[in-house]
Amino acid sequence: MSVSASYSYCTYVDPENHKKEEGVSDSQKPLGLGFIGSGRIAQAHLSAAANLSGHVRVVAIAGRRRDRAEAAARKYGIPAVAGDYRELLTNRDIDAVVITTPNDSHVAIACDAAKAGKHILVEKPMALDTASAETMVRAAEDGGVTLMVAQSRRFSDAVRELVRRLPEIGDILRVHIAFLVAFAQPPTEWWRSSAQAGGLVILLQGSHSLDSIYWWLGRTPQSIYATAARTNPAWEGEDEADIVCRFAGGTTATVHLSLSTSPAIHEALVVGRTGHLRLIERPAGPPFENIYRLEKNGEVLSDGLQSPSLYTHQLREFVEAVRERRTPLASGREILHVMRMLDAARASARSGQPVPL
């Protein structure tokens, strides 16, 4: 696979900031991070790294656009900008990489990182398809490195409380998720390309929603039926989609996705035999900051700003998994189940027929 994230500019290094710490054991040192990608979503991960400055140190960043990568380096005090992500992978001070490049580049970059012995946190969707995701998992296992997928919606306090309370509502009968937002124009250029994005909204937002369904129910469905449409000429891929997941025993999960709904609606309803849980996410204002409201049977359990951010909790999980040499939440191998669901949804949207798993 060709790599769309290629770079062609020089390195600058602050020697004082780039010195290795001496007299400190590896378990005590901050984990050295290299960022591959400097665009929109990278800002959320960089902010998380700043929040965990005692646990991680961003050593270098590589980005397709020189001005944006250098601006990020200045803002976050990153000592080096790599001219090519492969150059970044040769840096011995880097223990792990955070990959935030376009969807079609994840597999090649992750495989190169695994071969270089770097642990990997990769943005969702993990890859364009299950076959590519399996290649990433094999590369990580062969390289003896941790591979975690940035399924950030797992890491709000409200979602973790929802998961803790699932047994209280009995056997789950129904899950309903609406992830409806508005983007008149793509916030990042590669969204325009169906080849780079893998279509659009099914992978972009469906990767969150289908992951929630898989995580909350602990299993994959028997079949998936989906419809999709493009209503905005600003991009090539679908911007509206609906997905129906049918499980053994009659449980049904539905997902409704939109890039054209204003004001946004992002909520989930989980219905069990003895009650229901409702989760509502609202934007707090600044990008990637959200307010969460969790209800059980109409009673408000929590309602407030998520602080620290989802991305901070997520990065902490990644760092601790690397340190403890354990499998992280949302490991690459676990997310293969979600990739199979995404493959089925995209195939169903193309064929107009349900797809068995």
Side-chain angles (χ1 to χ4, degrees):
M1 178 179 290
S2 62
V3 182
S4 62
S6 58
Y7 313 99
S8 59
Y9 52 93
C10 299
T11 300
Y12 70 87
V13 177
D14 179 343
E16 288 303 312
N17 289 337
H18 200 56
K19 288 179 181 177
K20 291 195 72 169
E21 297 176 73
E22 298 179 358
V24 179
S25 71
D26 287 342
S27 63
Q28 294 173 315
K29 291 178 185 176
L31 195 72
L33 297 182
F35 271 71
I36 302 175
S38 58
R40 175 176 176 267
I41 196 63
Q43 306 308 308
H45 292 276
L46 286 164
S47 179
N51 290 341
L52 296 175
S53 59
H55 303 278
V56 301
R57 180 169 66 97
V58 183
V59 175
I61 186 168
R64 291 180 301 156
R65 284 180 44 184
R66 173 177 180 166
D67 58 338
R68 199 159 55 187
E70 291 190 344
R74 288 191 297 270
K75 179 177 179 180
Y76 292 99
I78 303 170
V81 174
D84 185 290
Y85 81 83
R86 286 166 284 259
E87 176 188 345
L88 181 150
L89 294 177
T90 66
N91 190 321
R92 292 187 302 115
D93 290 340
I94 293 175
D95 304 300
V97 295
V98 180
I99 301 171
T100 63
T101 55
N103 299 345
D104 66 325
S105 66
H106 290 179
V107 59
I109 297 174
C111 289
D112 286 344
K115 290 175 184 175
K118 311 299 185 186
H119 303 286
I120 302 157
L121 175 61
V122 60
E123 251 302 322
K124 61 80 202 165
M126 183 178 175
L128 294 185
D129 51 48
T130 302
S132 298
E134 288 172 339
T135 299
M136 294 165 67
V137 170
R138 287 195 299 270
E141 291 177 349
D142 290 346
V145 299
T146 298
L147 172 61
M148 177 177 167
V149 183
Q151 298 290 166
S152 59
R153 257 63 185 191
R154 290 193 181 203
F155 293 95
S156 75
D157 297 330
V159 165
R160 291 190 287 187
E161 180 66 7
L162 180 150
V163 170
R164 190 182 73 80
R165 288 179 175 268
L166 284 174
E168 298 176 9
I169 63 171
D171 293 339
I172 295 174
L173 302 173
R174 178 179 299 276
V175 178
H176 172 86
I177 296 177
F179 197 165
L180 314 175
V181 297
F183 287 98
Q185 293 292 325
T188 187
E189 192 62 26
W190 61 264
W191 279 27
R192 295 184 187 277
S193 167
S194 182
Q196 285 188 284
L200 190 57
V201 78
I202 290 177
L203 283 185
L204 183 71
Q205 292 172 203
S207 54
H208 281 308
S209 301
L210 292 180
D211 177 63
S212 294
I213 289 167
Y214 168 74
W215 190 35
W216 298 349
L217 295 180
R219 55 195 170 119
T220 53
Q222 289 184 321
S223 67
I224 286 181
Y225 172 72
T227 63
R230 182 176 76 113
T231 67
N232 186 337
W235 34 64
E236 298 170 350
E238 79 285 346
D239 55 9
E240 299 287 319
D242 298 276
I243 305 170
V244 179
C245 304
R246 296 184 63 83
F247 291 81
T251 298
T252 301
T254 56
V255 175
H256 307 282
L257 306 172
S258 174
L259 296 179
S260 308
T261 301
S262 182
I265 303 169
H266 191 187
E267 59 182 53
L269 180 67
V270 186
V271 179
R273 290 192 180 277
T274 58
H276 66 267
L277 292 160
R278 185 182 183 208
L279 177 74
I280 302 168
E281 178 186 297
R282 308 189 303 277
F288 309 111
E289 290 191 14
N290 298 300
I291 295 168
Y292 288 89
R293 180 185 178 95
L294 179 63
E295 302 174 359
K296 178 187 173 185
N297 301 332
E299 176 190 356
V300 178
L301 302 179
S302 62
D303 190 359
L305 178 68
Q306 173 60 46
S307 182
S309 71
L310 310 176
Y311 296 87
T312 302
H313 282 314
Q314 177 177 260
L315 184 58
R316 181 182 289 112
E317 167 66 10
F318 176 64
V319 171
E320 290 179 354
V322 169
R323 292 291 192 213
E324 297 166 8
R325 300 185 181 183
R326 63 169 172 82
T327 302
L329 192 63
S331 70
R333 181 159 290 282
E334 181 187 4
I335 299 305
L336 289 179
H337 297 289
V338 180
M339 289 305 309
R340 294 183 186 109
M341 294 169 70
L342 289 166
D343 279 359
R346 294 179 70 200
S348 178
R350 289 192 297 268
S351 70
Q353 300 296 319
V355 173
L357 274 78

